[in-house]
């Protein structure tokens, strides 16, 4: 049987119709009546539970994992509207999935990771291949989550992590995570993939520095209070355009932080990019989605469309070379919402996606979403990214 998989998409405004339509298209594309597992990504114009219930009913209540996104991605589709649903339905005698869901990232991301790790440990066999994670993009501290995950899994062999941070169409109010019949916020949904597969991956970002080096002089966990001895928010405002000063959503679409890439991530870009999802005006602080140490060197950065386009081209060639003539059986794409319509005209955005899909797998079932942060390995190191495209290609 190998892997039978298909992807279906719907843009219908009625949530029940949209969920049903996307699921039924996925089943037809896969050539199956009932899947073994389902991935679901949807935007937040819908009542989320209604969409989930429709997908569950149409797929025979097969185990499911996913989250809300700023948009959905499929073959020749990159829809960032408030009304889009993407479903992947899979059936296989070679690959199997286990799933779970944990809540409470804002209070303690490390504890969420620890609880998830224990549940995953109990389901990890000798053929475990990868772990997909979909966490709340507004509350996750990825470094602490990853640390807890490793502790919870104990002596289990390392698994590459893939996935993305759930989004809500730039509202920065509430994102959603799905597992079977549950929809929650402030949580992390996960899917453990096991089986006889090979996984190819690639990451790239399209940001360039726009100023000199700055130093973080006061910070706690993932909150930056001071840069060069001044309130972090005051420093940030020096790099904003006039129209961005009083529009935080617009400001963080364009401006992000660049940290010097650690030496152990040799071969990656010079900078690791961090999105700034929140601020505290009273304290003059900003927060990111990973830990930050006092003394860290940072650069203000902005996205560069030319670098982005070159990065997508390089990513496609890299994966194609590693395929060595083999055809992908599944492709997952986790792409930053800051690389979509907010910077690229729709025709250019679709041209880049179609070019990548032609290079990597024009016939492979392909699903993904626009995130508030991307998860993908660099070498043997599991990393959190921003303003980045991450591919996980299953062979």
């Amino acid at each position: 049987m190998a892997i039978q998989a298909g992807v279906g998409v719907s843009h219908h405004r009625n949530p029940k119709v949209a969920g049903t339509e996307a699921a039924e298209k996925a089943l037809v594309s896969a050539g199956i009546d009932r899947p073994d597992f389902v991935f679901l990504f949807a935007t937040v114009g819908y009542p989320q539970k209604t969409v989930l219930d429709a997908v569950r009913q149409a797929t025979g209540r097969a185990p499911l994992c996913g989250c809300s996104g700023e948009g959905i991605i499929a073959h020749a589709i990159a829809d960032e509207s408030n009304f889009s649903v993407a479903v992947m339905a899979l059936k296989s005698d070679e690959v199997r999935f286990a799933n779970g869901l944990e809540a409470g990232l804002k209070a303690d991301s490390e504890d969420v990771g620890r609880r998830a790790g224990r549940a995953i440990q109990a389901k990890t066999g000798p053929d475990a291949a990868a772990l997909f994670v979909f966490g709340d993009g507004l509350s996750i501290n990825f470094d602490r989550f990853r640390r807890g995950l490793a502790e919870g899994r104990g002596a289990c062999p390392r698994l590459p992590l893939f996935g993305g941070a759930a989004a809500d169409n730039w509202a920065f109010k509430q994102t959603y995570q799905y597992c079977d019949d549950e929809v929650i916020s402030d949580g992390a949904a996960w899917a453990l993939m096991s089986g006889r597969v090979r996984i190819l991956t690639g990451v790239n970002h399209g940001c360039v520095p726009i100023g000199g080096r700055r130093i973080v002089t006061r910070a706690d966990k993932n909150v930056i209070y001071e840069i060069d001895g001044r309130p972090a928010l005051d420093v940030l405002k020096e790099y904003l355009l006039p129209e961005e000063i009083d529009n935080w959503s617009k400001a963080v679409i364009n401006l992000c932080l660049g940290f010097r890439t650690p030496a152990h991530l040799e071969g990656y870009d010079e900078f690791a990019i961090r999105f700034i999802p929140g601020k505290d005006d009273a304290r003059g602080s900003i927060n990111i989605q990973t830990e930050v140490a006092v003394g860290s060197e940072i650069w203000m950065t902005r996205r560069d469309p030319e670098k982005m386009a070159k990065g997508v081209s390089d990513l496609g060639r890299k994966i194609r070379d590693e395929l060595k003539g083999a055809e992908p059986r599944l492709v997952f794409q986790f792409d930053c919402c800051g690389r979509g319509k907010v910077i690229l005209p729709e025709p250019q955005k679709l041209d880049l996606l179609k070019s990548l899909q032609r290079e990597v797998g024009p016939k492979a079932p392909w699903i993904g979403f626009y995130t508030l942060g991307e998860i993908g390995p660099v070498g043997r190191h599991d990393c959190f990214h921003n303003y980045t495209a991450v591919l996980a290609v299953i062979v």
Side-chain angles (χ1 to χ4, degrees):
M1 182 195 298
I3 300 175
Q4 291 177 267
V7 174
V9 170
S10 177
H11 312 292
H12 202 284
R13 293 296 185 98
N14 182 299
K16 185 173 182 180
V17 173
T20 301
E21 185 175 73
E24 289 179 346
K25 287 180 179 178
L27 293 172
V28 170
S29 178
I32 58 179
D33 294 323
R34 190 183 189 283
D36 296 329
F37 199 80
V38 172
F39 284 96
L40 166 64
F41 304 116
T43 53
V44 296
Y46 303 110
Q48 299 287 287
K49 190 65 164 64
T50 306
V51 172
L52 176 67
D53 288 344
V55 173
R56 293 278 285 158
Q57 183 172 349
T59 56
R61 314 204 78 76
L64 177 149
C65 185
C67 67
S68 63
E70 190 272 336
I72 58 95
I73 298 170
H75 261 297
I77 296 173
D79 189 301
E80 298 177 74
S81 72
N82 276 324
F83 300 96
S84 55
V85 180
V87 172
M88 175 183 277
L90 306 102
K91 191 174 186 67
S92 177
D93 57 3
E94 291 186 9
V95 176
R96 65 190 184 280
F97 290 88
N99 61 335
L101 182 68
E102 299 290 344
L105 284 171
K106 186 174 183 178
D108 195 337
S109 288
E110 189 166 344
D111 184 59
V112 171
R114 190 178 300 114
R115 284 184 273 125
R118 291 180 188 134
I120 293 162
Q121 180 191 37
K123 300 175 184 293
T124 299
D127 62 346
L131 181 64
F132 291 86
V133 175
F134 308 114
D136 191 323
L138 301 178
S139 57
I140 192 169
N141 180 326
F142 179 76
D143 289 333
R144 289 183 172 256
F145 174 84
R146 179 180 53 190
R147 187 158 57 239
L149 186 68
E151 181 184 328
R153 295 189 67 237
C156 286
R158 173 193 170 269
L159 289 174
L161 301 185
F162 298 97
D168 64 349
N169 293 71
W170 294 107
F172 300 118
K173 293 181 179 178
Q174 186 174 18
T175 77
Y176 304 89
Q177 299 77 53
Y178 320 137
C179 178
D180 296 342
D181 290 323
E182 289 188 80
V183 177
I184 68 169
S185 299
D186 190 36
W190 56 265
L192 172 66
M193 182 173 68
S194 302
R196 302 188 302 274
V197 296
R198 182 165 60 104
I199 305 174
L200 307 179
T201 185
V203 303
N204 81 81
H205 72 71
C207 295
V208 296
I210 58 172
R213 182 187 66 170
R214 312 297 295 250
I215 303 294
V216 175
T217 49
R218 188 160 75 93
D220 180 41
K221 298 176 184 176
N222 63 330
V223 180
I224 302 174
Y225 291 98
E226 292 183 0
I227 299 172
D228 292 334
R230 298 172 52 211
L233 199 52
D234 288 351
V235 174
L236 196 73
K237 288 178 179 178
E238 294 177 4
Y239 295 85
L240 298 179
L241 300 176
E243 63 269 23
E244 297 169 345
I245 293 290
D246 297 316
N247 187 332
W248 181 251
S249 295
K250 189 168 186 177
V252 298
I253 285 172
N254 296 294
L255 188 69
C256 43
L257 302 182
F259 287 76
R260 181 79 74 184
T261 299
H264 66 268
L265 299 181
E266 184 179 356
Y268 188 61
D269 194 274
E270 181 182 2
F271 298 104
I273 304 302
R274 290 292 175 262
F275 171 60
I276 311 167
K279 63 183 174 71
D280 185 326
D281 291 299
R283 296 184 178 185
S285 64
I286 58 177
N287 64 274
I288 58 176
Q289 296 159 305
T290 54
E291 299 278 271
V292 58
V294 172
S296 295
E297 298 179 332
I298 60 173
W299 283 256
M300 301 298 166
T301 67
R302 283 182 179 265
R303 289 156 304 142
D304 181 81
E306 291 185 10
K307 183 175 180 179
M308 189 185 306
K310 183 180 183 304
V312 169
S313 178
D314 291 346
L315 177 59
R317 284 196 297 270
K318 172 185 179 293
I319 297 293
R320 175 49 61 185
D321 289 345
E322 293 177 356
L323 283 167
K324 299 184 186 301
E327 289 300 322
R329 297 194 280 178
L330 305 170
V331 180
F332 296 88
Q333 180 176 350
F334 308 112
D335 214 324
C336 180
C337 55
R339 294 165 53 95
K341 66 182 181 182
V342 295
I343 188 171
L344 296 175
E346 195 71 16
Q348 184 181 358
K349 181 184 72 171
L350 284 175
D351 284 347
L352 285 176
L353 176 64
K354 291 175 183 178
S355 174
L356 180 63
Q357 291 174 336
R358 283 194 301 269
E359 191 76 37
V360 172
K363 297 180 180 179
W366 191 300
I367 194 171
F369 70 101
Y370 284 98
T371 76
L372 279 179
E374 305 75 56
I375 300 169
V378 177
R380 290 185 55 81
H381 301 276
D382 295 311
C383 300
F384 191 86
H385 311 269
N386 289 121
Y387 297 92
T388 298
V390 171
L391 284 189
V393 180
I394 315 303
V395 184

